[in-house]
């Protein structure tokens, strides 16, 4: 029974979302070769219109039995989440995979860097499968190993490399995680970024934060009390990162010029607009959002924090959520006693995450059931060693 005065939210329209001309790309039906690792599928996908896709997925999963373990990131489509054995954020899923040594195949319904992390943390006899190799992460691709090595040379020339500790966000490639491990740094998630920075500043005078400038700035300014001018942005596309040696010597936080294409869309105008439309609304955003958005929000937290906050919210309360649309729609359906809207008024799916759809999942599962390994993600031994050092440092954070 619907609670009086509470409007249920069950469709994209009631989430105040309007399609845009970029809808095909945002829904994962087009490609951006500048930011993705691949755009072709090596096999023949079943047609999206195949009425038996759900049955085929169930049958292939049943044939594989305990040999397969399917991970579903929170931002995946509902049709994919239905077949996930566990759901969660990227690091939780990688750890879940490592805790299932009996599973020969780990099918990671997420993006490339997540599958790499799972391969690093799982045993040598387990194979990590990414159903679509085009499922990359534009943020992770904003920092290449060559660019970061050049940045470190710039810091060395400025005389600050020896007092700088790299802190890399989980949303980074295995190469960047390995760079971090080689230079005595740590990985962080959006949940433990504050602890990671506190540890880093106990080890050195400065932090090189990769690759998301917004999470780094928000954590330093909002959580640690730094001034905005303590942060500078290193642009890998400019000589010397676009910074002078004096700027590097004066800075405490050297932020890589990277961002999330989803969370970076939210604006201060989005916050002001939703407050005008919904009196008393609670604005809850992810820390990958811009600093002005985070400053204007009522609550800020990781994906898991957002889910827990809405689970605990009282019936009848109103919420505007600044994170990926698949998750917001799922939360709205799960909490129809609350008014839940999307913070932005345009479609804001994670375009590459959405590339993993039911046809790709069916193709991957059926291939594995037929004894054919497809789209395996493998990290070389040296990269794995140093990346694991950085991940283990994160696990050891106080």
């Amino acid at each position: 029974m619907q609670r009086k005065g509470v409007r249920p939210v069950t469709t994209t329209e009631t989430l105040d979302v309007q399609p845009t001309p970029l809808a095909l790309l945002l829904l994962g039906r087009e490609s951006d070769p500048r930011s993705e690792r691949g755009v072709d599928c090596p096999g023949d996908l079943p047609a999206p219109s195949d009425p038996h896709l759900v049955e085929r997925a169930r049958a292939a999963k049943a044939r594989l039995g305990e040999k397969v373990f399917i991970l579903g990131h929170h931002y995946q489509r509902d049709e994919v989440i239905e077949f996930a054995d566990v759901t969660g954020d990227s690091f939780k899923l990688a750890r879940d995979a490592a805790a299932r040594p009996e599973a020969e195949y780990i099918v990671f319904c997420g993006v490339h860097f997540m599958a790499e992390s799972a391969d690093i943390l799982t045993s040598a006899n387990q194979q990590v499968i990414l159903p679509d190799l085009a499922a990359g992460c534009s943020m992770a691709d904003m920092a290449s190993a060559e660019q970061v090595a050049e940045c470190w040379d710039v810091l060395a020339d400025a005389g600050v490399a020896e007092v700088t500790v790299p802190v890399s966000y989980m949303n980074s490639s295995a190469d960047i995680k390995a760079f971090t491990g080689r230079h005595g740094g740590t990985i962080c998630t959006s949940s433990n970024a504050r602890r990671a920075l506190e540890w880093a500043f106990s080890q050195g005078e400065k932090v090189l934060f990769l690759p998301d400038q917004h999470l780094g700035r928000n954590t330093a300014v909002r959580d640690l009390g730094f001034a905005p001018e303590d942060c500078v942005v290193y642009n890998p596309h400019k000589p010397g990162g676009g910074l002078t040696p004096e700027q590097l010597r004066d800075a405490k936080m050297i932020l890589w010029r990277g961002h999330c294409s989803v969370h970076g869309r939210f604006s201060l105008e989005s916050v002001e607009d939703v407050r005008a439309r919904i009196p008393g609304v609670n604005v809850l955003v992810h820390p990958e959002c811009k600093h002005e958005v985070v400053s204007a929000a009522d609550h800020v937290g990781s994906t898991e924090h957002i889910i827990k906050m809405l689970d605990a919210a009282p019936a009848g309360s109103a919420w505007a959520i600044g994170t990926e649309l698949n998750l917001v729609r799922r939360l709205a359906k799960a909490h129809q006693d609350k008014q839940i809207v999307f913070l932005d008024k345009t479609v804001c799916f994670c375009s590459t995450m959405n590339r993993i759809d039911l046809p790709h999942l069916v193709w991957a599962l059926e291939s594995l059931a037929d004894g054919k390994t497809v789209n395996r993600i493998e990290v070389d031994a040296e990269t794995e060693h140093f990346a694991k050092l950085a991940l283990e440092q994160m696990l050891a954070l106080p």
Side-chain angles (χ1 to χ4, degrees), residues 24-42:
L24 284 178
L25 174 60
L26 293 170
L27 289 169
R29 295 174 188 165
E30 294 293 343
S31 64
D32 180 1
R34 294 172 301 173
S35 65
E36 295 169 0
R37 297 177 178 271
V39 295
D40 296 320
C41 178

Side-chain angles (χ1 to χ4, degrees), residues 165-358:
V165 178
V167 175
S168 293
Y169 191 23
M170 181 63 66
N171 298 29
S172 59
S173 69
D175 286 337
I176 301 309
K177 290 182 176 73
F179 165 88
T180 306
R182 284 188 180 96
H183 293 279
T186 187
I187 308 303
C188 75
T189 66
S190 54
S191 299
N192 67 9
R194 175 174 183 166
R195 279 185 289 147
L197 287 187
E198 289 173 339
W199 172 84
F201 280 110
S202 75
Q203 306 296 308
E205 299 174 11
K206 303 175 187 295
V207 164
L208 171 63
F209 194 91
L210 300 153
D212 180 21
Q213 61 170 307
H214 300 308
L215 177 62
R217 182 182 295 105
N218 288 329
T219 306
V221 175
R222 183 175 179 271
D223 296 335
L224 298 186
F226 285 11
E229 52 268 27
D230 290 328
C231 307
V232 295
V233 178
Y234 182 95
N235 185 341
H237 303 292
K238 291 185 177 181
L243 300 168
T244 65
E246 290 74 22
Q247 287 176 305
L248 290 170
R249 286 192 282 267
D250 291 342
K252 293 182 180 178
M253 289 285 293
I254 302 166
L255 307 170
W256 192 264
R257 190 176 182 269
H259 64 275
C260 171
S261 58
V262 171
H263 293 107
R265 289 176 57 92
F266 300 113
S267 65
L268 183 58
E269 289 73 24
S270 301
V271 178
E272 293 170 346
D273 175 71
V274 80
R275 290 199 192 281
R277 288 186 289 111
I278 308 176
V281 68
N282 296 278
V283 178
L284 172 57
V285 302
H286 195 281
E288 289 176 17
C289 293
K290 298 172 184 174
H291 184 62
E292 58 265 29
V293 174
V294 166
S295 298
D298 300 300
H299 308 280
V300 182
S302 66
T303 302
E304 295 289 348
H305 179 81
I306 289 171
I307 294 170
K308 290 177 182 177
M309 181 160 274
L310 287 176
D311 286 344
S317 56
W319 297 82
I321 312 299
T323 192
E324 205 271 346
L325 182 55
N326 271 322
L327 175 61
V328 178
R329 292 199 305 184
R330 199 171 295 125
L331 290 169
K333 292 175 183 177
H335 298 282
Q336 295 188 38
D337 60 338
K338 303 155 195 174
Q339 183 179 358
I340 297 175
V341 300
F342 190 58
L343 182 57
D344 195 69
K345 295 193 74 172
T346 57
V347 171
C348 203
F349 293 106
C350 176
S351 60
T352 50
M353 188 83 73
N354 268 267
R355 290 189 179 280
I356 296 181
D357 54 14
L358 198 49

Side-chain angles (χ1 to χ4, degrees), residues 44-49 53 79-80 131 356-364:
D44 294 324
L45 291 179
S49 59
L53 283 176
E79 67 192 49
V80 172
I356 296 181
D357 54 14
L358 198 49
H360 281 89
L361 180 60
V362 167
W363 168 75

Side-chain angles (χ1 to χ4, degrees), residues 30-140:
E30 294 293 343
S31 64
D32 180 1
R34 294 172 301 173
S35 65
E36 295 169 0
R37 297 177 178 271
V39 295
D40 296 320
C41 178
D44 294 324
L45 291 179
S49 59
D50 184 340
H52 305 295
L53 283 176
V54 171
E55 296 171 23
R56 289 173 64 176
R58 287 176 181 158
K61 187 177 181 183
R63 284 170 62 195
L64 287 162
E66 292 190 355
K67 291 174 63 177
V68 70
F69 190 50
I70 302 178
L71 311 176
H73 190 273
H74 286 308
Y75 297 167
Q76 286 291 309
R77 304 162 180 259
D78 287 348
E79 67 192 49
V80 172
I81 289 292
E82 178 182 347
F83 293 96
D85 294 302
V86 292
T87 59
D89 60 21
S90 60
F91 187 58
K92 173 187 179 296
L93 292 175
R95 294 182 73 180
D96 285 343
R100 289 291 294 265
E102 71 276 11
E104 181 179 343
Y105 303 113
I106 305 297
V107 177
F108 208 129
C109 298
V111 294
H112 196 276
F113 78 81
M114 300 178 187
E116 285 183 327
S117 296
D119 186 59
I120 290 168
L121 294 176
T122 51
S123 62
N125 64 335
Q126 292 179 288
Q127 301 181 53
V128 178
I129 308 299
L130 186 66
D132 187 353
L133 293 178
C137 171
S138 59
M139 180 204 293

